[in-house]
Amino acid sequence: MVKTEEMIDFVEKVMEMRRVQKEFFKTRNYAAMQLSKSLEKDIDDRAGKLMSQLKAMEQEGQDAQQPGLFGEEANA
């Protein structure tokens, strides 16, 4: 299950990444570029993990709603 804290951490990390990207484009500083690339990779990894969790939750919800054969419960 996706936790609120995970979502908050993700959004904060995206905001940090955008701040560093803006700094890089303003200054063309090499250190800012390296930090930006590192943050982008972290964001990509986190986004993939969150998407997997959301899809798993969606699948669990669909499985719970689908009746079994002949109207029996799916998980009976």
Side-chain angles (χ1 to χ4, degrees), residues 20-37:
V20 172
Q21 286 174 332
K22 288 175 184 178
E23 177 186 337
F24 168 71
F25 286 115
K26 182 190 269 186
T27 64
R28 300 295 178 178
N29 180 288
Y30 181 76
M33 181 187 70
Q34 292 298 103
L35 180 55
S36 177
K37 288 175 125 181

Side-chain angles (χ1 to χ4, degrees), residues 1-2 50-67 74-75:
M1 175 181 246
V2 177
L50 287 171
M51 185 58 72
S52 294
Q53 290 175 349
L54 290 170
K55 286 183 179 183
M57 287 172 48
E58 181 180 53
Q59 185 62 44
E60 287 173 7
Q62 289 176 358
D63 290 346
Q65 292 177 357
Q66 293 182 2
N75 294 329

Side-chain angles (χ1 to χ4, degrees), residues 5-18 20-21 33-51:
E5 297 86 28
E6 286 179 288
M7 295 301 294
I8 291 170
D9 288 344
F10 179 76
V11 171
E12 288 175 343
K13 189 61 79 166
V14 169
M15 292 171 66
E16 179 185 4
M17 178 188 71
R18 292 295 298 137
V20 172
Q21 286 174 332
M33 181 187 70
Q34 292 298 103
L35 180 55
S36 177
K37 288 175 125 181
S38 174
L39 289 167
E40 287 172 7
K41 181 179 181 337
D42 187 32
I43 292 298
D44 289 345
D45 294 344
R46 288 177 188 230
K49 179 181 173 187
L50 287 171
M51 185 58 72

